[in-house]
Amino acid sequence: MVGSSRFFGWRIVLLGVVSNAIGVGLIGAYAFMVTPLIEEFGATPAQLGFGMSIIIVSMALTAPVLGPVLDRGPLRATMLTGIVVMLGALGLLSNGSALWQLAVCLAFAAVGVSMFGMLPAKVLIVNWFVRKRGRALAVAYAGTSLAGFAMPPIVAGLIELTSWRGALLWIAVGAATIAAPAVACLAIRRPEDIGEHPDGDPSGTPLPIEGVSAPAVSVRSIARGTNFWLIGLGDALAMCVPVATGLFFVRHLEEIGIARTQIALVMPLMAVFSLSGKLSVGFLADRMDPRPLVVGTLALHVVGLWIVALGTGLESMLMAALPLGVGGGGFIPLPGVLQGRCFGRLVIGRVSGLHALLGLPFMLAAAPMVGLAASSTGSFVAPFLVLGCVQLVAAGVFAFVRVPSAEPGRGSLARVEGVGDPGAG
């Protein structure tokens, strides 16, 4: 038995921090390659914007295939394979000589990141925690904030020291060097696999491994309940907004006359508030119904968006950093909390994978539509106001989710039919 005297689950959270930080950090590094690729290949901004679409599509299409594997297949081997795929793809990308080659390598790199990044981390934590799930997810998602702090200076420094090719190779090797040992040592799917209980509860007899094997639940069984569509649609609407605002935020501030040196003051402040939002909301999610938290964090983020849209100077943007950061960061762990409460531990990978696919059209459409609207109106004011309305709609959708009184699978691990809807089945 592993970790009988000390709950192993917090080491799973540490793995979640590593997976989230490296996964988000690798995706974020793409932004620093834009100018070098324009200079070397003569690429247009539109072509490089298509590169981000390649990342989104590759990860979204991988998720439904990956979900069942994470629930029932060789999880550790899958994550290690993803690290190898990522390393190989980025190595080839750093030697690419044509844009089409870069596009293919980028797609494979995104698949690799999917296999060891945010989705596996969420599956592991939902499996290991029930009562303390909110705080565990929040701490794990703090890895995305760490990536936001650490990656920009690291990537920029490596590009200055070597080139974009050398920087990319060093980043890939460094990521693999950190992630591979963490996955090899810590990736255990469920506490029952090593004789423990979720949350480290000591009571009762540990279930044998065969007692917690995930059943072959069909997509139809998962998707037949309204909760599946409400959570998936709400998450899609909520998450497509930061995709669009993140791409155009700096541009909007520049257009209203804020200098880049001043913008650099806003971004770290927002990151600090985002981290505090994740941690505080994650702890609250373990103590109350998560739906009011979802509605509250999204409403707070809307306030920040509208301040950004209507503000005219640095003071307004510094004021917006608090609601943007706390609201946006606080929302991040909540979909995982709701998915776990409504669907249970045994199918969390499949539910999350299908929700990623459901969100794909929204993620792809958000940024181009904002760009077109800004071109038509001459500014980002109207598009940002509309994005705030989109998040209000997302909050309304989440408000209709019906959280079961008992988490599916918690009392009877064999009973998972009709997951996602109280009384279904």
Side-chain angles (χ1 to χ4, degrees):
M1 182 185 300
V2 179
S4 57
S5 61
R6 185 178 179 184
F7 182 48
F8 195 82
W10 295 110
R11 279 166 275 189
I12 297 293
V13 174
L14 175 61
L15 175 59
V17 173
V18 172
S19 295
N20 283 317
I22 292 177
V24 171
L26 288 171
I27 295 170
Y30 179 73
F32 290 86
M33 306 297 165
V34 170
T35 298
L37 292 175
I38 290 175
E39 293 174 349
E40 181 170 338
F41 293 95
T44 65
Q47 288 174 319
L48 295 176
F50 182 64
M52 184 56 69
S53 298
I54 290 175
I55 293 174
I56 293 172
V57 170
S58 299
M59 297 183 77
L61 294 181
T62 301
V65 179
L66 188 60
V69 177
L70 297 176
D71 283 337
R72 308 176 67 218
L75 184 143
R76 182 189 287 118
T78 299
M79 295 180 72
L80 289 172
T81 300
I83 295 170
V84 173
V85 171
M86 176 275 298
L87 182 60
L90 291 182
L92 291 172
L93 197 157
S94 69
N95 289 284
S97 58
L99 285 178
W100 72 266
Q101 295 174 354
L102 303 186
V104 172
C105 293
L106 190 63
F108 277 99
V111 170
V113 171
S114 296
M115 294 171 68
F116 74 86
M118 296 181 72
L119 179 55
K122 178 166 72 172
V123 170
L124 283 166
I125 290 170
V126 170
N127 278 328
W128 276 83
F129 294 88
V130 177
R131 290 183 297 101
K132 303 174 184 177
R133 183 176 291 153
R135 72 193 76 176
L137 283 169
V139 173
Y141 281 124
T144 63
S145 299
L146 294 177
F149 285 120
M151 286 303 288
I154 291 174
V155 178
L158 286 172
I159 292 175
E160 287 293 324
L161 286 174
T162 57
S163 64
W164 73 269
R165 296 179 185 273
L168 196 60
L169 191 57
W170 277 108
I171 292 167
V173 171
T177 301
I178 296 170
V183 170
C185 296
L186 302 177
I188 299 173
R189 180 184 284 107
R190 297 186 183 92
E192 292 88 351
D193 292 353
I194 55 172
E196 294 190 5
H197 289 284
D199 303 303
D201 290 341
S203 59
T205 303
L207 291 167
I209 294 176
E210 59 271 16
V212 292
S213 59
V217 181
S218 67
V219 171
R220 182 178 180 181
S221 297
I222 292 173
R224 70 182 180 180
T226 54
N227 275 349
F228 173 84
W229 298 102
L230 290 172
I231 296 174
L233 179 59
D235 193 30
L237 289 169
M239 291 307 297
C240 75
V241 171
V243 169
T245 56
L247 184 61
F248 295 113
F249 182 77
V250 173
R251 179 65 178 172
H252 171 61
L253 268 57
E254 290 174 340
E255 287 188 352
I256 63 175
I258 300 178
R260 288 189 178 184
T261 54
Q262 294 177 319
I263 295 173
L265 300 175
V266 178
M267 305 297 281
L269 184 61
M270 197 183 305
V272 170
F273 284 128
S274 175
L275 178 58
S276 64
K278 290 171 188 172
L279 297 176
S280 58
V281 171
F283 276 79
L284 287 173
D286 293 331
R287 292 167 170 78
M288 60 181 289
D289 187 334
R291 288 171 298 179
L293 291 173
V294 171
V295 174
T297 54
L298 289 177
L300 192 60
H301 197 252
V302 170
V303 172
L305 278 176
W306 286 351
I307 293 174
V308 169
L310 300 174
T312 57
L314 177 62
E315 295 79 8
S316 299
M317 301 309 148
L318 292 173
M319 185 187 305
L322 191 152
L324 278 178
V326 175
F331 173 77
I332 295 298
L334 293 175
V337 172
L338 277 175
Q339 288 168 335
R341 290 279 299 275
C342 292
F343 299 96
R345 296 190 296 144
L346 299 185
V347 295
I348 184 64
R350 278 159 282 186
V351 170
S352 299
L354 291 170
H355 279 166
L357 185 62
L358 178 61
L360 177 59
F362 299 88
M363 300 289 280
L364 287 178
M369 290 182 68
V370 168
L372 288 172
S375 298
S376 299
T377 62
S379 76
F380 288 97
V381 173
F384 275 31
L385 290 174
V386 172
L387 287 174
C389 295
V390 170
Q391 285 213 313
L392 287 179
V393 173
V397 171
F398 275 116
F400 285 96
V401 173
R402 295 189 300 162
V403 179
S405 57
E407 181 174 309
R410 189 175 181 182
S412 174
L413 289 171
R415 178 66 177 169
V416 293
E417 286 295 322
V419 292
D421 238 345

